[in-house]
Amino acid sequence: MSLDYLALANAGVEKLHPYQPGKPVAELERELGISNSVKLASNENPLGLSPKARAAIERSLPELARYPDANGFALKSALAGKLGVNTDQLVLGNGSNELIDLVFHTFVAAQQQVVFSQYTFIVYAMATQAHGAQAVEIPAKDFGHDLDAMAAAITDQTKLVCITNPNNPTGTFLTKAELAAFLAKVPRQVLVILDEAYTEYVAEDERHPSIDWLAQYPNLIVSRTFSKAYGLAGLRVGYMVAHPELISVLNRVREPFNCNSLGLAAAEAALNDEAYLSEVVELNRREMARYETFFEQLGLRYVTSRGNFITLDLQRNAAPVYEALLREGVIVRPIAGYGLPTCLRISIGLEHENQRCMDALAKILA
Ligand SMILES: *Cc1c(COP(=O)(O)O)cnc(C)c1O
């Protein structure tokens, strides 16, 4: 006996497809019977954990029989000090992905409109669909957000606008002037998530002062994560910064123990390891430049990126090149699911990993 489970599910679920993660190394090696493959597919930090984060995890092990601190007091205090905000302006999540979902659970009802760009983080489209809300996807401009068109698309039905800067999967970047002009146009009752998952990779003088903007825009929600530059993707810690009353509304819906003890402790330690962060950013800058030079030498098109990844446009179906790279033991990310079937996204790895990728690409494309 079976049931029509899809018919039982909530309205948006029928049209939803599971998130397609980057291919795990172990899976590729099992399938091809190879070893030594490299994964440059999920924008993970190639340097691994900061030694301080690792030590903090070890110190937390004896406490694992206890529930974590539901308020994340220590991490929030550290973040508040670093960002110059109050702890009541912060909410912590099981990755920022959970917090994006939390904003939807809390604020977005069926039929309401959510505005986001073509070629952006797919989680926005998924959450919109899951809530039976209406996606208003604005065609991209030069692989990135067209903020004028996004502002023009806001209607009385719009509840939320989602912006990713730097954008994933294309790496495009909106300047502070562009973003400030956009925020000034958004009506107060329309919430804006500004997803800054890659902000640590942006040179400080180019970064937009999003935390300062919070005082001016009570509808602004800044989203960040420990999964990328801080190297803690496996521990799932992200945070949002917003008006204290907005945070307090989110806290009504948030699961009390959404962040685990190891993640909380590791994130706090990682936040204070500035030497590690500088090393991460410097490696990324250096290796990004190497990819750009390599692509130029091969006459390949790419999108200039401010993230820890670079998107290559092969201007033909990229799937065969993706498959050929797999056979060379190099896992990159096809982004046909984002509407970019001619592109591959390559996460910036260690020097020798990037070299493997470049050598394999040169061989395949020769
Ligand atoms: C990787 C990424 C995130 C972070 O997800 P976590 O759940 O914090 O690991 C959020 N937004 C974008 C655009 C990303 O690329």
Side-chain angles (χ1 to χ4, degrees):
M1 282 289 280
S2 159
L3 274 168
D4 186 351
Y5 296 105
L6 263 184
L8 289 179
N10 295 336
V13 175
E14 187 170 2
K15 286 197 185 142
L16 212 50
H17 299 282
Y19 181 80
Q20 296 265 334
K23 195 176 186 70
V25 165
E27 184 182 300
L28 176 71
E29 298 193 342
R30 204 165 53 235
E31 287 171 4
L32 297 185
I34 58 171
S35 59
N36 269 324
S37 52
V38 300
K39 182 183 174 201
L40 302 171
S42 300
N43 299 348
E44 292 146 341
N45 192 320
L47 287 172
L49 280 185
S50 124
K52 290 189 179 165
R54 181 184 291 262
I57 290 167
E58 279 162 11
R59 281 196 303 278
S60 307
L61 291 176
E63 294 304 315
L64 284 186
R66 308 236 174 245
Y67 277 100
D69 176 3
N71 261 317
F73 175 81
L75 177 56
K76 277 196 207 165
S77 302
L79 279 168
K82 193 105 185 166
L83 303 172
V85 301
N86 293 320
T87 51
D88 63 1
Q89 290 178 267
L90 290 161
V91 62
L92 306 176
N94 196 256
S96 51
N97 196 336
E98 187 210 10
L99 294 175
I100 293 166
D101 282 336
L102 179 62
V103 170
F104 275 82
H105 289 326
T106 308
F107 290 108
V108 180
Q111 317 301 337
Q112 291 179 336
Q113 292 173 348
V114 180
V115 175
F116 50 83
S117 177
Q118 185 186 25
Y119 312 148
T120 195
F121 197 38
I122 215 152
V123 161
Y124 297 115
M126 292 177 69
T128 302
Q129 178 62 38
H131 287 80
Q134 206 184 321
V136 180
E137 189 185 281
I138 306 303
K141 197 171 87 185
D142 300 329
F143 290 98
H145 297 65
D146 181 345
L147 287 183
D148 289 337
M150 288 178 75
I154 294 171
T155 70
D156 291 346
Q157 266 42 262
T158 308
K159 178 49 78 72
L160 176 66
V161 181
C162 307
I163 295 177
T164 313
N165 202 45
N167 188 37
N168 176 20
T170 59
T172 55
F173 186 66
L174 299 160
T175 65
K176 42 193 142 183
E178 291 171 313
L179 275 170
F182 173 79
L183 287 172
K185 285 190 226 165
V186 179
R188 287 296 160 100
Q189 73 282 3
V190 176
L191 301 178
V192 178
I193 295 181
L194 183 53
D195 184 336
E196 302 184 335
Y198 301 95
T199 202
E200 296 83 4
Y201 293 101
V202 178
E204 281 193 36
D205 58 344
E206 278 190 320
R207 265 180 228 172
H208 37 279
S210 47
I211 303 295
D212 298 343
W213 287 338
L214 291 170
Q216 207 178 336
Y217 300 111
N219 53 339
L220 176 63
I221 306 171
V222 176
S223 176
R224 295 195 184 157
T225 182
F226 284 92
S227 297
K228 308 285 160 56
Y230 288 105
L232 300 178
L235 283 172
R236 317 298 308 123
V237 190
Y239 62 95
M240 283 180 168
V241 200
H243 192 283
E245 285 163 34
L246 190 156
I247 296 293
S248 131
V249 174
L250 289 178
N251 271 326
R252 295 179 182 218
V253 183
R254 179 179 64 85
E255 280 179 65
F257 302 109
N258 59 335
C259 293
N260 69 78
S261 315
L262 300 183
L264 291 170
E268 186 191 348
L271 192 67
N272 290 317
D273 195 347
E274 285 176 7
Y276 169 84
L277 189 64
S278 312
E279 196 187 335
V280 166
V281 171
E282 176 53 25
L283 170 74
N284 190 70
R285 196 194 55 71
R286 208 170 53 231
E287 292 298 299
M288 178 76 83
R290 241 159 51 76
Y291 271 110
E292 290 177 347
T293 306
F294 170 78
F295 293 153
E296 281 156 23
Q297 281 165 353
L298 263 69
L300 296 174
R301 273 221 216 169
Y302 64 90
V303 187
T304 301
S305 169
R306 297 297 213 298
N308 65 345
F309 54 88
I310 187 162
T311 290
L312 176 64
D313 184 0
L314 294 163
Q315 297 176 277
R316 59 177 164 104
N317 180 12
V321 177
Y322 168 70
E323 297 292 336
L325 282 168
L326 288 181
R327 289 190 295 274
E328 297 291 325
V330 177
I331 308 171
V332 299
R333 188 67 159 266
I335 45 176
Y338 285 81
L340 293 163
T342 64
C343 295
L344 295 174
R345 192 192 68 188
I346 303 170
S347 304
I348 310 293
L350 298 174
E351 185 179 345
H352 74 90
E353 296 173 325
N354 298 325
Q355 196 57 51
R356 272 279 297 279
C357 179
M358 291 180 212
D359 292 346
L361 265 175
K363 178 175 160 191
I364 291 161
L365 298 175

